[in-house]
Amino acid sequence: MSRVVAVAPVLAGHRYEQSEITASIGPLLSSDPGRLSALARFHAASGVQTRHLALPLARYAGLRSFGDANDLFQTIGADLAEDAVRAALTAADLTPADVDFLLFTTVTGVGAPSVDALLVERLGLRPDVKRLPSFGLGCVAGASGLARVHDYLMGHPDDVALVVSVELCSLTIQHGDDSTANLVSSGLFGDGAAAVVMVGDRRAAGRDGVDVIGTRSGVYPDTTGMLGWDVGGSGFRIVLGAGLADVVEAHLRADVETLLAPHGAAVADVAAWVAHAGGPRILDAAGHALALGEHALDRSRNSLAAVGNLSSSSVLHVLADMLADGAPPPGGLAVLFAFGPGVSAEVVLLRRPEEV
C-alpha cells in the first residue's frame, strides 16, 4: 500500500477566454476561410471555456523555432514544477530533504539535464535523491506516474516520493498546419503542472490522504498510429485519430472490472471517478463504457471547461479537486484513469482509510 497525502496543481500565468485564443491562434494556422470556420466550430465544441498559456497570446506569432520553444519549456516549466513541489510538500508538512524518490514526466519538452535535475538545487533536495524522468507517455503519464511510484513505495515503505508533471502544450504550436487534428487540438490543450506527494505504508501512519491499493496498465492492439507526436524540424506535430473515443469505449470497462475484482468490488461500488479531461468525446465514451450516472464525471468536465486538457497534468488536477471535496468517504473507493499514446491506459484504484 502507498498513500497520496498531498496534490498541488498549478497553472501557467496567462489566462484567456477560449474565444480570445481562437481569434489569435487561427490566423497562425491557416488563411483559408473554410479551415478557419472549421477551427471556430471545433473550438466552440471543445467543452473549454478558458485556458492558461505559458506565454502572452501575442508572442505565439513569433514562436517558430523548436529550439526557442524548448528553451522556454525548460525555463517556464522548471518554475512551475518548483512552485508545485513547494506547495505539495508544504501541504504534506514535509521538507525537500524528506524526499527519497522523484518521478518527473512531460511530453511537451525535452532536456538533459531534465527538469527534475534542475529541481534538486533549486528546492534543496538531497543529492542522493533517486530520480526517474519520463517522456512519451503523453496524457496517461499522470496516472502512470502514480502507479509506478506506488510500485516503488511497495518496496520502500518508509520513503517519501514525488510525482511531478509539467505540460506546456501551447509551446508545441505548428504554424501553417490546418490539418483537422491540429485544429481540434489547438482548441483543447492548456498549460499547467502538478506535484503529488506519496508515502510508503509505514510513513503513512497518522497522515490523511487516499491509499493506492491497485493499478492496471493496458496497451490496446492496432492503435499505435492513433495518438501521439510526429517529431520533425518544427517540433511536435499532433497525431490525433478520429476513432480514439471508440477505443476508450471498447476497452475501459474491462480494465476497470479487472482492477476491481480482486478487491471484491464492482463498478457500482465506486464512490468517485477521476478521469483525465481528454475532451467531451473521451469523457462521453468513458461514461458510456462504465454506464455512469449523468454527473459522475463532473469534476473532469469542470476541469476541462476551466483549464482545458493539461495532458499528463490533467488527471492530477482532477485528483486535487476530488481530495478538496473530501471524496471518497472513509472506506470508499475511487477509480482514476487516463489514456495516452499506444493507445495505452492506466487505471488506479484508490481507497480512503476508515481512520488515520
Side-chain angles (χ1 to χ4, degrees):
M1 188 272 292
S2 65
R3 183 167 295 174
V4 174
V5 296
V7 184
V10 298
L11 294 162
H14 304 280
R15 179 182 179 274
Y16 295 97
E17 298 291 327
Q18 178 80 320
S19 58
E20 295 178 85
I21 297 173
T22 303
S24 182
I25 295 297
L28 306 182
L29 306 184
S30 182
S31 59
D32 182 335
R35 299 309 286 161
L36 291 175
S37 177
L39 177 136
R41 292 196 306 273
F42 293 145
H43 283 208
S46 66
V48 178
Q49 297 175 9
T50 55
R51 283 185 277 167
H52 291 247
L53 305 181
L55 303 175
L57 263 176
R59 286 191 60 185
Y60 289 93
L63 188 62
R64 294 179 174 270
S65 159
F66 175 51
D68 289 346
N70 202 62
D71 288 346
L72 288 166
F73 175 87
Q74 287 288 93
T75 55
I76 298 171
D79 288 344
L80 288 175
E82 180 180 355
D83 291 346
V85 172
R86 288 191 187 280
L89 289 174
T90 297
D93 195 24
L94 293 166
T95 71
D98 292 315
V99 177
D100 301 290
F101 181 78
L102 192 167
L103 186 150
F104 170 73
T105 191
T106 187
V107 75
T108 53
V110 294
S114 49
V115 166
D116 50 292
L118 305 180
L119 294 177
V120 174
E121 192 167 304
R122 292 175 66 155
L123 289 166
L125 298 171
R126 299 197 318 265
D128 68 340
V129 65
K130 304 175 185 72
R131 297 183 298 110
L132 183 62
S134 163
F135 177 90
L137 284 169
C139 295
V140 78
S144 296
L146 296 176
R148 301 293 77 80
V149 169
H150 165 73
D151 293 343
Y152 169 83
L153 289 171
M154 290 291 286
H156 299 83
D158 295 304
D159 279 12
V160 173
L162 287 169
V163 179
V164 181
S165 161
V166 175
E167 302 290 10
L168 302 184
C169 304
S170 71
L171 298 181
T172 68
I173 184 171
Q174 297 291 298
H175 289 258
D177 178 5
D178 63 1
S179 65
T180 296
N182 198 45
L183 297 186
V184 170
S185 67
S186 70
L188 273 177
F189 290 95
D191 296 344
V196 182
V197 180
M198 300 175 66
V199 296
D201 189 24
R202 290 199 289 260
R203 196 68 179 259
R207 293 185 176 276
D208 195 12
V210 290
D211 293 334
V212 178
I213 62 171
T215 71
R216 178 173 174 80
S217 304
V219 180
Y220 301 144
D222 303 318
T223 61
T224 54
M226 193 165 285
L227 181 65
W229 294 128
D230 278 336
V231 183
S234 61
F236 302 134
R237 184 173 183 269
I238 191 75
V239 175
L240 187 62
L244 183 58
D246 296 333
V247 172
V248 170
E249 188 160 356
H251 293 281
L252 177 60
R253 188 177 187 94
D255 280 335
V256 172
E257 288 179 335
T258 301
L259 178 64
L260 291 169
H263 302 273
V267 170
D269 299 316
V270 178
W273 296 90
V274 180
H276 164 60
R281 292 190 63 205
I282 298 299
L283 292 174
D284 288 346
H288 293 155
L290 297 166
L292 299 180
E294 180 181 358
H295 299 293
L297 301 181
D298 276 359
R299 290 187 188 92
S300 298
R301 296 187 192 278
N302 292 341
S303 181
L304 180 67
V307 300
N309 179 346
L310 300 174
S311 190
S312 68
S313 299
S314 174
V315 77
L316 305 180
H317 279 238
V318 181
L319 175 61
D321 292 341
M322 184 195 77
L323 296 177
D325 292 340
L333 296 175
V335 170
L336 178 150
F337 60 87
F339 308 96
V343 167
S344 59
E346 194 78 39
V347 189
V348 180
L349 184 59
L350 307 169
R351 181 174 60 203
R352 175 82 66 177
E354 292 281 3
E355 58 184 37
V356 178

